[in-house]
């Protein structure tokens, strides 16, 4: 059974890039630029920092990060004061396929180790 990932990203190119990488690595993904209430349907959340900040989702994302991995993508230096303290992983744009794959692996393995 593949893991399902929600991608919240306002840049179509980045959304499509992330979705294609995830598909190649055996994940299912869904992309959005709007607020969703169906968080529980996803094993992971990947969200652009500016998008979730503009949608006033930082608090909601921090709640989600308590029970599933969240990866924040950011064009600015990762905003540690708001994101990392909430147990989310962060990767700076632009990033390579290998960097994305590594952060996904760390998030997936690290998160599930904490739950054991």
């Amino acid at each position: 059974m593949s893991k399902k990932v929600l991608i919240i990203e306002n840049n179509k190119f980045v959304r499509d890039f992330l979705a294609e990488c995830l598909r190649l690595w055996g994940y299912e993904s869904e992309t959005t630029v709007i607020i969703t209430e169906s968080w529980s349907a996803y094993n992971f959340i990947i969200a652009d920092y500016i998008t979730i900040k503009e949608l006033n989702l930082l608090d909601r994302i921090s709640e989600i990060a308590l029970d599933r991995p969240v990866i924040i993508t950011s064009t600015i230096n990762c905003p540690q004061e708001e994101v990392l303290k909430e147990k989310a992983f962060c990767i700076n744009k632009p990033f390579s396929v290998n960097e994305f794959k590594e952060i996904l692996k760390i998030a997936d393995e690290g998160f599930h180790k904490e739950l054991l």
Side-chain angles (χ1 to χ4, degrees):
M1 183 170 107
S2 65
K3 293 183 179 175
K4 196 167 178 183
V5 180
L6 176 64
I7 302 168
I8 305 170
E9 170 64 60
N10 60 4
N11 181 303
K12 181 178 176 5
F13 174 78
V14 175
R15 272 195 320 266
D16 292 348
F17 169 77
L18 293 172
E20 182 61 15
C21 287
L22 291 166
R23 185 189 67 75
L24 291 171
W25 301 328
Y27 293 84
E28 283 182 57
S29 67
E30 184 176 319
T31 60
T32 188
V33 292
I34 59 170
I35 297 173
T36 182
E37 290 302 320
S38 59
W39 306 104
S40 62
Y42 302 97
N43 301 95
F44 276 93
I45 307 294
I46 299 174
D48 171 65
Y49 177 72
I50 299 299
T51 304
I52 60 174
K53 191 165 181 146
E54 288 173 353
L55 295 172
N56 295 316
L57 287 177
L58 281 176
D59 289 338
R60 187 69 180 113
I61 293 293
S62 68
E63 291 172 21
I64 292 164
L66 296 175
D67 67 358
R68 76 195 75 231
V70 173
I71 298 173
I72 302 297
T73 62
S74 180
T75 54
I76 57 176
N77 286 335
C78 284
Q80 294 184 18
E81 73 286 351
E82 292 183 56
V83 176
L84 296 181
K85 74 176 184 182
E86 304 296 349
K87 297 187 69 166
F89 297 88
C90 192
I91 186 169
N92 287 322
K93 295 177 189 175
F95 50 84
S96 69
V97 171
N98 288 336
E99 288 172 312
F100 176 57
K101 189 173 190 177
E102 186 62 26
I103 197 85
L104 184 67
K105 180 180 176 186
I106 290 167
D108 197 0
E109 291 176 355
F111 185 82
H112 293 293
K113 277 184 191 171
E114 283 183 21
L115 293 179
L116 297 176

